[in-house]
Amino acid sequence: MLEGSRITRRRMLEGAAAAGLATAVGSPVSALAARRRKRHGFPIKHIVVSCQENRSFDHYFGFAPWVGEAGVPPGYSQPDGMGGTVVPYHFTSFTTNDIGHDWFSMHGCWDNGAMDGFYATNGIDCMGYYTAADIPFYYSLHDNSALCVNYFHSTMCPTWPNRFYLAAGTSGGVTTNGIWGYGVLDYPCILDLLEDHGVSWKVYNEGGVDDVPAGDSDNVYVFFKRFAHDPRTVHLGSDFVRDAGRGELPNVSFLIPSYTKGKDEHPPADIRVGMHLQERMIRALRRSPQWHNSAFLLTYDECGGYFDHVAPPQLDAYGLGFRVPMWVISPHARPRHLERRLYEHSSVLKFIETAFGLPTLASINHQFDTSTPGGDNNNASNGGATGPPAPPRDRLSTIGDLTECFFL
């Protein structure tokens, strides 16, 4: 791993009191909708999960004309530390600096819920935002898709711990990018549920298979011992397009953008590259004979240190983190809909579990029910031998399962 590489810069950037849920949690899914699902069956048979990198909700959609009260409020600013304030500004470049998004940086931005530490922590770069003129395809999704406006990343720390939550409902106490590699995690993830219940799956690597031992890969599914060298984890983005065209997609597809090739929107990558990649995959699914019973879920692993004005509810010692975009794209999705239900990465797991009648990961993983391993990779442990518990969050009724975004 060469000094000055993107992964080196990423690693250099590393190093709860409960909050009310009232403003973040919308109305629960109606009993009528639940009865309809039970009577008619669940219409989604193919789910595509696509996770990009390091963009907050306000940073991408806070100034969208249709976002309403979910967007940046009038007069929003951040203190500059000298008695003045700094306001958000429109980024004029599609490539910007990488900024702090480790545990300590994010907690500095959060400031115990005051949400006033973004500029003090990350400087002027964190205050930039984009508009429809910059990312037109993403804005066009509003016409026929649902946007979750209270979807938070799982924990206030960088990429891999949040992707562990997306895969397993927990990071097992890991809060840094300090643990990676084939088979380094030995607890159940969503692939275990799919495998054990006969639900087909594949992992597609968009832009090529990145180097796992070097720490360049966001394909955390191979970090789990059971699937470390499973051939289903190394399919390519071109395979997804082919499978979609032939109507041969598995029940669940996971799309992994190449970090080393800048396909993931992680600064300093050109955001247009990642957007065009997602457009290609979404269009491939829409043209597929399987589109009529499919759902494409597009989100971001964490905010990357960019500003957001909504204080995340703190469900446990590890988070939640900040708001990130989540698009629900499907012929069954509610078009032009802004869903206010509380979501986080475990909501994706809950949606998969709901669609295929699977048990929760919390019901089969009790390894972190009472504590987590401490040490340098668990900042919540404060240097102790053990850290706070972190059972999989798909057990929590306070977190929605994304079905609220559909006509079901």
Side-chain angles (χ1 to χ4, degrees), residues 57-67 129-145 147 275 327 336:
F57 185 93
D58 279 346
H59 166 66
Y60 262 13
F61 299 108
F63 290 91
W66 34 258
V67 80
Y129 64 87
Y130 290 105
T131 69
D134 308 309
I135 45 176
F137 176 72
Y138 286 160
Y139 273 67
S140 75
L141 293 172
H142 178 60
D143 290 338
N144 46 33
S145 306
L147 177 62
M275 177 184 67
W327 286 104
R336 302 183 68 82

Side-chain angles (χ1 to χ4, degrees), residues 230-242:
D230 193 301
R232 289 169 293 180
T233 64
V234 291
H235 292 282
L236 302 177
S238 57
D239 297 328
F240 177 85
V241 174
R242 179 204 63 203

Side-chain angles (χ1 to χ4, degrees), residues 301-319:
D301 56 8
E302 35 96 355
C303 74
Y306 291 108
F307 79 99
D308 193 81
H309 76 278
V310 177
Q314 294 303 286
L315 302 184
D316 54 37
Y318 298 96

Side-chain angles (χ1 to χ4, degrees), residues 46-278:
H46 301 279
I47 298 172
V48 181
V49 179
S50 186
C51 185
Q52 295 288 90
E53 291 259 4
N54 294 49
R55 304 290 169 174
S56 75
F57 185 93
D58 279 346
H59 166 66
Y60 262 13
F61 299 108
F63 290 91
W66 34 258
V67 80
E69 294 181 356
V72 178
Y76 174 82
S77 65
Q78 286 281 298
D80 66 2
M82 297 180 291
T85 58
V86 179
V87 299
Y89 67 100
H90 180 214
F91 270 147
T92 58
S93 174
F94 297 107
T95 61
T96 56
N97 295 327
D98 198 5
I99 56 178
H101 49 277
D102 60 287
W103 173 273
F104 300 103
S105 296
M106 287 200 182
H107 280 76
C109 295
W110 175 59
D111 192 17
N112 292 307
M115 301 295 285
D116 61 0
F118 285 92
Y119 180 83
T121 300
N122 279 322
I124 194 62
D125 288 334
C126 77
M127 298 297 291
Y129 64 87
Y130 290 105
T131 69
D134 308 309
I135 45 176
F137 176 72
Y138 286 160
Y139 273 67
S140 75
L141 293 172
H142 178 60
D143 290 338
N144 46 33
S145 306
L147 177 62
C148 304
V149 299
N150 280 313
Y151 187 105
F152 298 81
H153 62 87
S154 295
T155 180
M156 277 193 236
C157 49
T159 288
W160 285 331
N162 280 287
R163 288 181 180 265
F164 297 163
Y165 271 92
L166 183 60
T170 179
S171 69
V174 175
T175 60
T176 75
N177 279 340
I179 294 179
W180 75 88
Y182 289 109
V184 296
L185 303 179
D186 193 12
Y187 54 87
C189 69
I190 188 62
L191 300 187
D192 289 276
L193 293 185
L194 300 176
E195 190 77 356
D196 293 345
H197 292 82
V199 181
S200 60
W201 60 271
K202 288 182 182 179
V203 179
Y204 298 91
N205 299 266
E206 304 173 83
V209 178
D210 286 339
D211 191 330
V212 174
D216 288 344
S217 177
D218 285 333
N219 185 358
V220 300
Y221 300 98
V222 301
F223 293 15
F224 289 87
K225 185 176 181 179
R226 183 179 179 185
F227 303 99
H229 299 288
D230 193 301
R232 289 169 293 180
T233 64
V234 291
H235 292 282
L236 302 177
S238 57
D239 297 328
F240 177 85
V241 174
R242 179 204 63 203
D243 290 350
R246 294 177 178 176
E248 297 176 353
L249 287 174
N251 296 123
V252 184
S253 302
F254 302 93
L255 303 185
I256 310 296
S258 174
Y259 175 73
T260 56
K261 294 183 179 178
K263 303 285 187 179
D264 56 1
E265 299 169 58
H266 188 300
D270 187 323
I271 61 172
R272 296 170 297 182
V273 174
M275 177 184 67
H276 291 323
L277 180 62
Q278 295 305 308

Side-chain angles (χ1 to χ4, degrees), residues 286-334:
R286 284 173 168 168
R287 291 192 295 264
S288 170
Q290 295 169 305
W291 170 239
H292 68 284
N293 58 13
S294 295
F296 192 108
L297 309 179
L298 171 59
T299 191
Y300 293 76
D301 56 8
E302 35 96 355
C303 74
Y306 291 108
F307 79 99
D308 193 81
H309 76 278
V310 177
Q314 294 303 286
L315 302 184
D316 54 37
Y318 298 96
L320 303 175
F322 301 106
R323 289 193 308 167
V324 291
M326 164 59 92
W327 286 104
V328 176
I329 305 158
S330 170
H332 301 279
R334 300 168 67 181

